[in-house]
Amino acid sequence: MALDRKTVIDIATLARIGIDPDNVDDYASELSKILKFVAQMDQVDTEKVEPLTHPQDRQLRMRMDRVTETDQREGFQQLAPAVEAGLYLVPRVIE
Amino acid sequence: MKWEPVIGLEVHVQLLTRSKIFSGASANYGSQPNTQACAVDLGLPGVLPVMNENAARMAVKFGLAVDAVVNQRSAFARKNYFYPDLPKGYQISQYEMPIVGRGHLNIVVDGELKRIGITRAHLEEDAGKSLHEDFHGMTAIDLNRAGTPLVEIVSEPDMRSTKEAVAYLRKLHTMVRYLEICDGNMQEGSFRCDANVSVRPAGQAKLGTRTEVKNINSFRFVERAIGHEIERQIDILEEGGEIVQETRLYDPDKNETRPMRTKEEAHDYRYFPDPDLPPMAIDETFIEEIRQNLPELPDAKEQRFKDQYQLNEEHAHQLTQSRANADYFEATAGASRGAPKTVANWIVGDLSSRLNDENLDIGDSPISSRMLAGLIDRIEDNTISGKIAKEVFRAMWEGEGEADAVIENRGLKQITDTGEIEKIVDDILAKSRTQIEQYTSGQEKIFGYFIGQVMKATGGKANPKQVNEILKKKLRAHLFTDGP
């Protein structure tokens, strides 16, 4: 499967990654190579194989419904570029 | 052309757990911003989500209550999108393998029973909250809600009118509160609804293009928002236009929907299994234990109220809308000598309207079930009339004590002494020559005037049945003596 320029630009938009338009063709060809490599798996007959959701044969561990965390807002907010009244401030987003 | 609306609902139900779905932070509502957002909720590097068993339990409980398939194996997936109130850049949800599969809910609209299919119900985490006002052009983020457990319940597109959509939503609302898995508080956002709406020419099998209407956060808005969207689509189609598949936001102030994002801008969520969370396995014992502990559900309770208490359809339905209401009724009926129907009348009538006026739940009623039973007993044993009972009810509400105390203190005991009533009737008749003439000349409506006078003279305390009999007897005497 080969990726075209438009798909590469779409993926970059979804991932919020800025890419140089000059590099789009290179990305397209490199990503296509990766996909081609992975596509070898399409050769395997998976008709009777149950879909795998996790590589390890393990089950989800569950915890009791108890509050174990304490308020550490002050510490966490020291990592944030801007806070006010206990809230994290980010550039304005309105959908 | 006649158009048929097709409606499906997606309802987000916040689960009443103590802690978050994947962290040990408190899931309480209304705390100071960000004081309940721990490292896992903030999506800091190196953290690992650990599933809350109680959230799984509640999802299974719901599944069993709607006769759904409970999947013993389900999986969590990452739903990827960027928004500042979702710090990880993905929401942990369930995609291909939800915990609850196909089920159904029964609704009754205009006396007709209809089964609404439930496609699935899956577990996921809630996002935080964004505040866009008053932060000098910035957006402020509160992540207390991030990680709160949700069950998203997706219905089949089985509803054909706004009425059916409201009935389904109400039933679901009743159900989750019966199960005690959600407080159902729409204002605080613990019960949220999105609607998928399309229209098609009546009789056509193929579905029309649908839009998704978001931001419907009260029962009143559900009806208005969906109703408005149906009309908007019909208008477009009748003018020869086409419906664009898009997400629309309902604005209750303007009573309109407006586009939020079109399909082109729609998110491509790139779901994939969350590598942090292996598949969730639920064994038969776990499911069976939950099944054994299911409460009596609304439909069963409604039927039992009809059978056991001979209540009519409406009373049985209204009294079983919440467990608290139903319990109050049963406690009152059990403590009172009055007929269950009388008890139901008081609860559905006076008590409910008063609770409504004051915006109270039945649990906060100043009149307990025992007090109401006491009042009803005083009507039954003829101590007071039904009319005086309303006064006693108001006094009890205002905190004047039990029915007996109110009756005693206010001197409301009914006059049942025949001699006393006769004396009062005689006095009134002596002063009512004109009215008696009208009565004897055939104007029987004037009878109400005499009743009114007696009630006025006794402050409403005369036993109405006796007044009626005595008045009739005395007037009949006039009919023969004064008649032509």
Side-chain angles (χ1 to χ4, degrees), chain B residues 141-365:
Chain B
I141 309 288
D142 177 6
L143 294 169
N144 278 350
R145 199 179 66 178
T148 301
L150 296 175
V151 165
E152 180 178 339
I153 302 157
V154 183
S155 87
E156 291 288 300
D158 281 350
M159 288 152 273
R160 296 287 175 271
S161 66
T162 51
K163 253 188 180 175
E164 289 184 6
V166 172
Y168 167 81
L169 196 65
R170 283 203 184 276
K171 190 61 173 285
L172 202 57
H173 191 247
T174 300
M175 188 63 96
V176 296
R177 284 176 307 138
Y178 259 68
L179 298 171
E180 292 173 335
I181 60 173
C182 174
D183 64 18
N185 191 326
M186 290 181 96
Q187 259 167 0
E188 290 177 4
S190 20
F191 188 86
R192 315 196 284 266
C193 174
D194 301 334
N196 289 309
V197 180
S198 67
V199 297
R200 63 182 171 190
Q204 178 186 300
K206 192 170 170 282
L207 292 173
T209 306
R210 69 184 160 88
T211 59
E212 184 179 2
V213 185
K214 286 196 177 280
N215 195 31
I216 317 181
N217 48 18
S218 81
F219 285 108
R220 197 158 47 95
F221 292 166
V222 173
E223 195 152 10
R224 284 169 53 187
I226 299 176
H228 175 274
E229 181 57 20
I230 291 168
E231 278 172 32
R232 189 189 69 87
Q233 293 189 10
I234 292 175
D235 285 349
I236 292 175
L237 293 170
E238 292 199 330
E239 283 165 21
E242 269 182 36
I243 306 299
V244 183
Q245 184 177 342
E246 61 186 356
T247 302
R248 299 179 70 87
L249 196 70
Y250 178 66
D251 182 341
D253 296 329
K254 293 183 184 151
N255 189 29
E256 62 174 32
T257 62
R258 58 169 178 269
M260 209 166 124
R261 48 178 183 246
T262 60
K263 203 183 176 191
E264 275 80 328
E265 302 160 24
H267 297 297
D268 175 352
Y269 292 124
R270 293 151 294 141
Y271 281 98
F272 65 89
D274 191 321
D276 285 342
L277 296 158
M280 178 159 63
I282 289 173
D283 62 29
E284 199 53 55
T285 331
F286 185 83
I287 298 174
E288 227 14 73
E289 185 215 315
I290 296 169
R291 195 194 302 275
Q292 294 307 321
N293 289 306
L294 278 182
E296 184 182 30
L297 296 174
D299 287 350
K301 205 185 272 289
E302 189 175 324
Q303 189 55 49
R304 180 168 67 78
F305 276 23
K306 284 191 243 175
D307 297 341
Q308 184 179 340
Y309 298 109
Q310 277 81 49
L311 295 186
N312 64 29
E313 188 87 34
E314 195 195 330
H315 278 166
H317 183 70
Q318 288 206 34
L319 290 170
T320 51
Q321 287 310 290
S322 79
R323 267 165 88 173
N325 264 321
D327 291 348
Y328 187 99
F329 165 76
E330 293 205 271
T332 313
S336 165
R337 289 194 296 272
K341 185 179 181 300
T342 312
V343 174
N345 259 326
W346 274 95
I347 297 174
V348 171
D350 293 76
L351 184 66
S352 294
S353 69
R354 194 68 199 260
L355 289 168
N356 242 340
D357 288 349
E358 317 228 345
N359 211 1
L360 292 174
D361 285 329
I362 202 155
D364 310 319
S365 169

Side-chain angles (χ1 to χ4, degrees), chain A residues 11 13-16 50-73 76-77 79 82 84-95, chain B residues 17-25 33-35 37-39 42 44 50-54 82 84 97 132 135-142 261 267-268 270 273 275 277-281:
Chain A
I11 294 170
T13 309
L14 282 170
R16 302 294 195 275
E50 233 184 87
L52 186 74
T53 56
H54 200 273
Q56 286 164 316
D57 185 20
R58 277 173 39 203
Q59 279 181 11
L60 188 67
R61 192 169 68 82
M62 298 204 228
R63 40 170 262 275
M64 297 297 284
D65 181 19
R66 275 200 292 263
V67 176
T68 51
E69 295 286 343
T70 52
D71 172 23
Q72 297 188 60
R73 184 176 79 180
F76 290 138
Q77 295 205 329
L79 307 170
E84 188 179 316
L87 296 150
Y88 294 93
L89 295 189
V90 299
R92 192 174 175 91
V93 275
I94 288 259
E95 200 167 9
Chain B
T17 55
R18 284 183 207 94
S19 62
K20 304 267 175 90
I21 183 168
F22 296 118
S23 83
N34 292 308
T35 53
C38 70
L42 295 177
L44 293 184
V50 186
M51 176 68 190
N52 183 337
E53 189 202 51
N54 206 15
F82 282 105
M97 299 167 72
H132 303 293
F135 290 94
H136 15 266
M138 306 276 279
T139 290
I141 309 288
D142 177 6
R261 48 178 183 246
H267 297 297
D268 175 352
R270 293 151 294 141
L277 296 158
M280 178 159 63

